[in-house]
């Protein structure tokens, strides 16, 4: 039995390494050193502040973050500017390391959650389990400086969902309480320091899991750990909301979309999780149809989760689903009125919506391995579960393969930024539109980099 377990772990490590190598190759052959898009907004003054002023924690916590409250990232920028000289790939490959850690956490969680004597089932199951977080349809975030911020946040969120699952299984009441206190306090720090505007999904997922644990499984004398975690997450969320109250109120007041538009946006975001961006540019219908299919899978999986009492063994999957759905609602409220409904189908939101696919995969894999353990009692049910798993993984694989195929074109695009940056004064504001940022911000940022010998101009 030990040899079998040891062999399965070797296979899982090989799978993990394969995913890491593919992601590294994709980023190495797609990205370049000059930043793109979000980075340029006000970066000139920001870079000067970091280079000329000492590290000031008061400033870090009072910078105008807007609704994206992120003091941890502001602190890290001291390293990225002073040490890595504003190199876009430094952000990207640091984020890649966090993705590797997330893959590892998930492969270990898979090993702890699913058992089978059939090596093929375990190997394929592990591949399907990693695909949602590997999903190259999130290319827009993967290939820009935001990679670091987003992938660190996703790593912390996934680790928190796994850890909460483990805390609930601790048999010693005293140990569980100690771990719950530490966990709740770490959640509060995560919400304040790294979550940006995505904390409602994270807090909601943890609060929902603790509430389920209280209602479905807990004895009266054993309520304190869950209550403490709920209070920590709720308090930190309120605190973060109050900190960004002015910006949040502005977003809320301008969100006057109809219920039909919001529903359409919701389905569009689900479809965009596995549909390449170019599909949306040609027709919205395919995205909506795919989104409806994923919505059907989400409803079906939630029913299965409760009907078949998955909560008796794990709450991980339901936390992933709650996180994704709440995040979608928050993004719709914050973005649709400003940028239009089509924006919801872009790649940048896939980072968060694909976590919902991880939840779906966990539920269907649980059913699959239960059926196999049950021998041949229900072949039809087993076949349906297999088809559902294959449908999710197949869509992710197709969009990821397409992204791998067009990565040389993205490299060509990002390298054109380098060519323009080297002689920026020769280009008009219209030509600088390729940076997808305010032309003056780009000019100011490039000039500051030249002045302080950063990026292309570093010694």
């Amino acid at each position: 039995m030990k040899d079998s377990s040891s062999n399965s772990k070797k296979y899982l490590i090989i799978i993990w390494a394969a995913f890491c190598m593919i992601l590294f190759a994709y980023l190495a052959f797609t990205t370049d050193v000059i930043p793109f898009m979000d980075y340029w907004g006000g970066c000139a003054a920001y870079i000067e502040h970091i280079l000329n002023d000492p590290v000031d924690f008061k400033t870090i916590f009072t910078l105008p973050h807007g609704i994206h409250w992120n003091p941890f990232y502001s602190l890290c920028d001291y390293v990225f500017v002073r040490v890595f000289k504003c190199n876009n790939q430094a952000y990207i490959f640091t984020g890649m390391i966090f993705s590797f850690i997330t893959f590892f956490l998930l492969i270990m969680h898979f090993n702890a959650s699913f058992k089978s004597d059939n090596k093929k089932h375990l190997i394929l199951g592990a591949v399907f389990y990693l695909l949602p977080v590997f999903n190259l349809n999130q290319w827009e975030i993967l290939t820009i400086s935001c990679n670091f911020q987003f992938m660190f946040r996703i790593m912390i969120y996934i680790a928190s969902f796994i850890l909460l699952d483990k805390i609930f299984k601790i048999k010693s009441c005293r140990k569980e309480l100690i771990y719950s206190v530490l966990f709740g306090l770490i959640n509060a720090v995560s919400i304040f320091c790294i979550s940006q505007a995505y904390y409602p999904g994270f807090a909601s997922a943890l609060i929902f899991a603790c509430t389920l644990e209280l209602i479905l499984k807990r004895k009266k004398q054993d309520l304190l750990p869950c209550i403490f975690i709920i209070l920590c997450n709720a308090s930190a969320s309120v605190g973060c909301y109050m900190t960004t109250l002015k910006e949040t109120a502005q977003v809320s007041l301008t969100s006057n979309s109809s219920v039909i538009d919001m529903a359409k946006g919701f389905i569009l975001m689900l479809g965009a999780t596995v549909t390449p961006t170019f599909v949306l540019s040609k027709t919205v219908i395919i995205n909506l149809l795919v989104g409806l299919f994923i919505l059907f899978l989400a409803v079906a999986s939630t029913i299965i989760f409760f009907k078949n009492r998955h909560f008796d063994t794990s709450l991980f999957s339901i936390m992933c689903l709650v996180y994704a759905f709440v995040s979608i609602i928050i993004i719709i409220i914050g973005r649709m009125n400003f940028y239009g409904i089509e924006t919801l189908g872009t790649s940048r939101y896939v980072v968060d919506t694909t976590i919902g696919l991880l939840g779906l995969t966990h539920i269907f894999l649980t059913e699959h391995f239960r059926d196999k353990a049950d021998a041949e009692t229900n072949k039809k049910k087993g076949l349906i579960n297999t088809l559902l798993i294959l449908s999710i993984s197949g869509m992710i694989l197709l969009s990821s393969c397409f992204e791998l195929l067009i990565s040389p074109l993205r490299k060509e695009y990002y390298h054109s930024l380098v060519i323009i940056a080297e002689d920026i004064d020769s280009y008009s504001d219209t030509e600088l539109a390729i940076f997808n940022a305010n032309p003056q911000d780009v000019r100011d940022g490039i000039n500051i980099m030249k002045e302080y010998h950063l990026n292309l101009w570093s010694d």
Side-chain angles (χ1 to χ4, degrees):
M1 190 71 179
K2 281 186 178 179
D3 288 340
S4 175
S5 175
S6 177
N7 284 334
S8 66
K9 283 183 179 178
K10 285 179 185 176
Y11 287 121
L12 294 179
I13 293 298
I14 290 169
I15 291 166
W16 170 76
F19 272 92
C20 291
M21 285 190 290
I22 294 169
L23 181 59
F24 171 76
Y26 170 73
L27 293 175
F29 291 117
T30 306
T31 62
D32 219 312
V33 296
I34 287 290
F36 177 66
M37 205 162 23
D38 297 35
Y39 188 88
W40 297 106
C43 77
Y46 186 56
I47 289 170
E48 275 202 296
H49 163 69
I50 288 175
L51 291 173
N52 296 324
D53 300 330
V55 178
D56 179 7
F57 287 97
K58 184 180 178 183
T59 303
I60 287 167
F61 275 89
T62 55
L63 278 169
H65 302 281
I67 59 172
H68 288 298
W69 174 252
N70 53 6
F72 172 74
Y73 305 134
S74 299
L75 180 61
C76 290
D77 271 333
Y78 281 85
V79 177
F80 285 113
V81 174
R82 292 181 177 184
V83 178
F84 295 113
K85 312 293 184 183
C86 301
N87 188 315
N88 186 52
Q89 288 183 317
Y91 290 91
I92 290 168
F93 287 109
T94 305
M96 179 194 70
I97 292 168
F98 295 135
S99 292
F100 290 174
I101 296 169
T102 304
F103 295 164
F104 187 77
L105 290 172
L106 285 173
I107 210 78
M108 291 297 102
H109 188 58
F110 174 87
N111 185 55
S113 302
F114 304 108
K115 305 295 179 186
S116 175
D117 294 328
N118 191 318
K119 287 179 185 175
K120 289 181 181 178
H121 285 214
L122 276 176
I123 291 168
L124 285 172
V127 170
F128 296 153
Y129 203 62
L130 286 186
L131 275 173
V133 287
F134 170 79
N135 193 351
L136 293 184
N137 216 33
Q138 53 191 327
W139 63 267
E140 189 175 334
I141 293 300
L142 290 176
T143 59
I144 63 175
S145 60
C146 292
N147 184 319
F148 160 70
Q149 302 177 14
F150 277 69
M151 295 310 147
F152 182 75
R153 174 170 57 80
I154 292 299
M155 180 192 74
I156 295 297
Y157 286 4
I158 294 291
S160 298
F161 296 162
I162 293 171
L163 188 57
L164 184 59
D165 232 13
K166 291 185 180 295
I167 288 172
F168 287 155
K169 292 171 185 173
I170 297 173
K171 293 181 179 179
S172 166
C173 293
R174 186 169 174 272
K175 276 187 179 179
E176 186 188 21
L177 181 59
I178 292 169
Y179 283 119
S180 296
V181 169
L182 291 172
F183 182 74
L185 294 174
I186 291 169
N187 292 161
V189 172
S190 298
I191 287 170
F192 262 106
C193 293
I194 70 164
S195 288
Q196 302 171 293
Y198 299 94
Y199 67 89
F202 177 59
S204 297
L206 297 175
I207 291 170
F208 187 81
C210 288
T211 305
L212 275 184
E213 182 77 5
L214 285 172
I215 294 170
L216 301 173
K217 295 166 67 177
R218 292 278 160 166
K219 296 176 182 177
K220 286 185 179 179
Q221 65 270 28
D222 196 22
L223 304 180
L224 198 54
C226 288
I227 291 173
F228 185 83
I229 293 170
I230 290 171
L231 288 175
C232 279
N233 280 276
S235 301
S237 296
V238 171
C240 201
Y241 176 81
M242 296 304 293
T243 304
T244 59
L245 183 60
K246 182 181 176 182
E247 293 83 359
T248 306
Q250 286 175 347
V251 170
S252 302
L253 287 172
T254 54
S255 296
N256 56 7
S257 301
S258 69
V259 175
I260 294 174
D261 283 341
M262 293 184 77
K264 185 180 176 183
F266 191 95
I267 295 166
L268 194 64
M269 287 188 72
L270 289 176
T273 310
V274 293
T275 310
T277 309
F278 84 93
V279 174
L280 180 65
S281 66
K282 294 186 179 298
T283 174
V284 178
I285 298 298
I286 294 174
N287 269 54
L288 291 174
L289 289 173
V290 173
L292 281 170
F293 178 64
I294 293 174
L295 182 62
F296 163 76
L297 292 181
V299 173
S301 66
T302 304
I303 292 169
I304 290 168
F305 177 86
F306 287 102
K307 184 180 177 183
N308 295 350
R309 298 184 66 87
H310 286 207
F311 51 78
D312 285 336
T313 55
S314 175
L315 292 170
F316 177 78
S317 56
I318 204 70
M319 284 188 272
C320 290
L321 285 170
V322 170
Y323 171 76
F325 283 176
V326 173
S327 295
I328 288 173
I329 293 167
I330 294 298
I331 291 166
I332 288 171
I333 292 170
R335 295 295 182 185
M336 190 163 72
N337 260 39
F338 283 108
Y339 302 107
I341 194 168
E342 288 78 13
T343 307
L344 301 177
T346 57
S347 168
R348 65 167 40 216
Y349 304 123
V350 175
V351 175
D352 298 286
T353 56
T354 196
I355 301 302
L357 297 187
L358 175 61
L360 295 181
T361 305
H362 188 99
I363 290 171
F364 291 130
L365 281 175
T366 301
E367 287 297 297
H368 176 80
F369 283 108
R370 277 184 181 180
D371 288 343
K372 292 299 173 187
D374 250 356
E376 302 294 320
T377 52
N378 198 338
K379 287 186 177 180
K380 187 177 179 182
K381 182 183 171 188
L383 179 62
I384 291 170
N385 280 324
T386 302
L387 289 173
L388 291 175
I389 294 166
L390 288 172
S391 68
I392 297 168
S393 301
M395 288 187 292
I396 298 171
L397 268 174
L398 280 173
S399 59
S400 295
C401 286
F402 173 79
E403 184 54 37
L404 284 169
L405 287 172
I406 66 168
S407 60
L409 297 177
R410 298 210 190 281
K411 176 69 174 183
E412 189 178 316
Y413 183 96
Y414 290 132
H415 187 65
S416 67
L417 305 182
V418 176
I419 294 169
I420 292 172
E422 287 175 330
D423 189 21
I424 195 165
D425 293 332
S426 301
Y427 293 88
S428 67
D429 284 358
T430 304
E431 290 170 307
L432 292 187
I434 193 172
F435 284 84
N436 204 5
N438 183 296
Q440 192 57 51
D441 283 341
V442 176
R443 291 185 190 281
D444 293 343
I446 294 293
N447 288 332
I448 284 293
M449 288 179 185
K450 286 179 179 178
E451 182 182 343
Y452 288 96
H453 303 287
L454 304 172
N455 205 293
L456 293 172
W457 304 275
S458 61
D459 298 328

